[in-house]
Amino acid sequence: YQRRVHGVELRAVLTKHEAQRGGADANRIFYFALPPSVFLPVAGKIREVAMSSTGFNRMIIEKPFGHDYASCKEMADALGELFTEEEIYRIDHYLGKEMVQSLVAIRFANKVFSGLWNNNHISNVQITFKEPFGTDGRGGYFDSFGIIRDIIQNHLLQVLTLVAMEKPKELTANSVRDEKVHVLSCIRPIDLEEVVLGQYVKGPNGEGEAYLDDKTVPKGSQTATFATLVLWIDNDRWQGVPFIIKAGKATNERKAEVRVQFKNELRPFKEQAARNELVVRLQPSEAMYVKLNAKLPGLAPFTQLSQTELDLSYSSRYKGVNLPDAYESLIYDVLCGQQGNFVRTDELLEAWKIFSPLLHRIEQEEKVKPIPYGYGTRGPAESDALAKRMGFVREEGYMWKPPSLLEQALG
C-alpha cells in the first residue's frame, strides 16, 4: 500500500481510461473501503500522484472513522492535510435511507408538528435498531468494535440529530450540518446507570448460536451485542426528554424505527386514552404512522375508545416508485457534489466526544460484563425496565402491522 509505484500505476490506468473518453475534464472519485492501518498511506499516495488536475476529486470514506475521540482526531487531522472538507464524503449508509432522508421534510414542512415538537408535549423518544441474527462467523471483526461503535455511535446518533436539531437557516448542506453539530454539542455526558449492555446466548429452546460459540470471537469476550442507553439534550426544546437509544443483534425481529411518544392527555378520558405516538419506520416496510385514539365504532358510547392510526405506508402510497438502495442514493449524491447526507469532520468529533468517555469506562475502568439474553428474544429484561424508568409506556393491546402483499396489490 505504501509503494509509490502503485500510485503511479493507478494514475496511468485512470489517464488511459479518461483519454479514451475525451479526457477534457477528468473528474475522479476514490472509494476508501480499507482497514484503518493502511488508510492514510493510501490516501497520501493518491494525493501525491493520482489526483486529477483538470476536474474535481472526491473521496468516499467508509467507517470506521477511528476507534475513539483520540484516534478519530488523529485521522481527521491527517486527512485534513491531504484533502479539503469539500473533497471528503464520509459515508454512513443510514443517511441514504429513504425514511431517514425524509426526517427533515417531516419536521420542517409540516406545521402540524412544529408546535408539538418539544418537551411540553413529548414524553420520550426511542430510536431502535434490531436484527434477528447474530454475527454469523463475522464475530472476530465485530468483537473489536461492539454494538455501540458499530451501530449507535454512528447510525443511530445520525438519526437522533435529524430528529432533534433546530430548523436550519436554509436547505443547504452546511446549514443542516451546522444544526446537527449544535444539537450534538448539547448532549450531556452519558450516565453509566442509564446504560444496559447485553450479549446473546442460545435461545430459550436452544435456538441459534451463542455469541461466544462463534469460533471467530475471542474466548471469554465481554463485547456487548446489545445496548440500551439514554441521551439527554440540554437545550430549551428537549430539556427533560429522554432519548432512549437501543440496538441489538440476535433479537426477535428486524426493525429500525424512531418512536416519538407524547405525554398523556389528562382530561376528560384520563388513563383510558392511550398515548399518541408518531412512528417513523426506517426498515423494513418503510412507513410513517401516527397512533391515535378514536371512538369505538358502532353502538358503543362515545366514552369508549379504540386505538387506531393514520398510516402512510410507502409500499401502498407510492406504488411503482423505486426506492433506491441507500448506497445507490449516496453515491449519486457524490456524483452531484451534494454533501448534506455525509458526515462533516466537526460533526464526527462531537459524536466521539459523547461516546469515548462511556466506552473508556465500560472497557477499561469498570470492565462492565454484559447481561446474557436469549437468541431471538427482545434482549435483556433490564432494557425494558430502563425504558419504563425513563417514562416510556408500552401498549400491549395494539400493534401496527405493515400492509400485506395482497393489500398492496388491491390498493
Side-chain angles (χ1 to χ4, degrees), residues 202-238:
K202 284 185 177 293
N205 298 308
E207 304 94 335
E209 178 185 64
Y211 178 68
L212 293 179
D213 290 339
D214 184 332
K215 294 180 180 179
T216 64
V217 173
K219 186 177 180 180
S221 169
Q222 293 193 166
T223 296
T225 61
F226 182 102
T228 299
L229 55 87
V230 181
L231 297 178
W232 300 91
I233 301 173
D234 288 333
N235 62 16
D236 289 343
R237 180 183 298 276
W238 297 112

Side-chain angles (χ1 to χ4, degrees), residues 149-185:
R149 287 187 181 89
D150 194 43
I151 301 294
I152 294 178
Q153 183 272 337
N154 40 67
H155 304 327
L156 300 192
L157 192 64
Q158 283 296 316
V159 174
L160 178 146
T161 62
L162 295 171
V163 172
M165 73 182 196
E166 296 298 316
K167 184 180 294 186
K169 293 180 180 179
E170 51 189 355
L171 294 175
T172 62
N174 277 331
S175 289
V176 171
R177 294 192 292 182
D178 285 346
E179 294 303 333
K180 291 169 69 181
V181 172
H182 179 69
V183 78
L184 287 173
S185 70

Side-chain angles (χ1 to χ4, degrees), residues 206-383:
E207 304 94 335
E209 178 185 64
Y211 178 68
L212 293 179
D213 290 339
D214 184 332
K215 294 180 180 179
T216 64
V217 173
K219 186 177 180 180
S221 169
Q222 293 193 166
T223 296
T225 61
F226 182 102
T228 299
L229 55 87
V230 181
L231 297 178
W232 300 91
I233 301 173
D234 288 333
N235 62 16
D236 289 343
R237 180 183 298 276
W238 297 112
Q239 189 75 39
V241 177
F243 282 73
I244 305 163
I245 315 298
K246 179 190 301 183
K249 290 183 171 293
T251 64
N252 59 328
E253 61 182 325
R254 177 174 179 253
K255 178 174 74 173
E257 70 176 23
V258 178
R259 184 174 296 265
V260 180
Q261 187 171 81
F262 292 87
K263 294 181 178 180
N264 292 98
E265 185 62 62
L266 298 180
R267 294 185 300 175
F269 287 95
K270 300 182 180 178
E271 63 275 359
Q272 185 184 347
R275 286 185 171 183
N276 298 137
E277 292 181 343
L278 168 65
V279 182
V280 181
R281 179 92 168 198
L282 308 180
Q283 68 177 30
S285 305
E286 293 89 346
M288 178 178 72
Y289 59 96
V290 181
K291 294 175 68 172
L292 300 171
N293 297 295
K295 174 192 169 293
L296 185 68
L299 297 177
F302 72 89
T303 56
Q304 192 167 350
L305 300 180
S306 172
Q307 279 190 279
T308 186
E309 79 275 326
L310 301 177
D311 185 357
L312 170 59
S313 291
Y314 273 49
S315 59
S316 299
R317 174 63 180 85
Y318 299 110
K319 290 181 179 177
V321 176
N322 175 53
L323 297 183
D325 174 79
Y327 279 99
E328 182 182 355
S329 175
L330 291 172
I331 290 173
Y332 178 76
D333 283 349
V334 177
L335 292 170
C336 297
Q338 299 172 354
Q339 288 190 301
N341 292 318
F342 296 85
V343 182
R344 206 168 62 187
T345 300
D346 54 347
E347 185 180 352
L348 181 61
L349 292 174
E350 286 294 339
W352 275 118
K353 284 181 184 178
I354 296 167
F355 282 96
S356 285
L358 173 67
L359 290 165
H360 182 79
R361 287 192 65 188
I362 290 171
E363 296 169 350
Q364 299 180 37
E365 294 180 2
E366 308 283 340
K367 297 190 183 300
V368 179
K369 187 175 181 179
I371 302 165
Y373 66 95
Y375 194 111
T377 65
R378 287 178 48 81
E382 289 83 350
S383 171

Side-chain angles (χ1 to χ4, degrees), residues 28-82:
R28 295 178 180 177
I29 296 173
F30 301 89
Y31 197 114
F32 289 76
L34 297 168
S37 59
V38 300
F39 176 86
L40 289 175
V42 171
K45 291 297 171 287
I46 287 176
R47 171 79 266 180
E48 182 182 356
V49 298
M51 299 278 278
S52 172
S53 59
T54 59
F56 64 68
N57 295 278
R58 293 169 185 163
M59 315 295 147
I60 304 176
I61 301 173
E62 277 274 11
K63 69 170 190 174
F65 309 129
H67 198 72
D68 55 15
Y69 177 82
S71 60
C72 177
K73 181 73 163 58
E74 181 181 1
M75 179 181 288
D77 289 346
L79 201 61
E81 293 179 1
L82 298 172

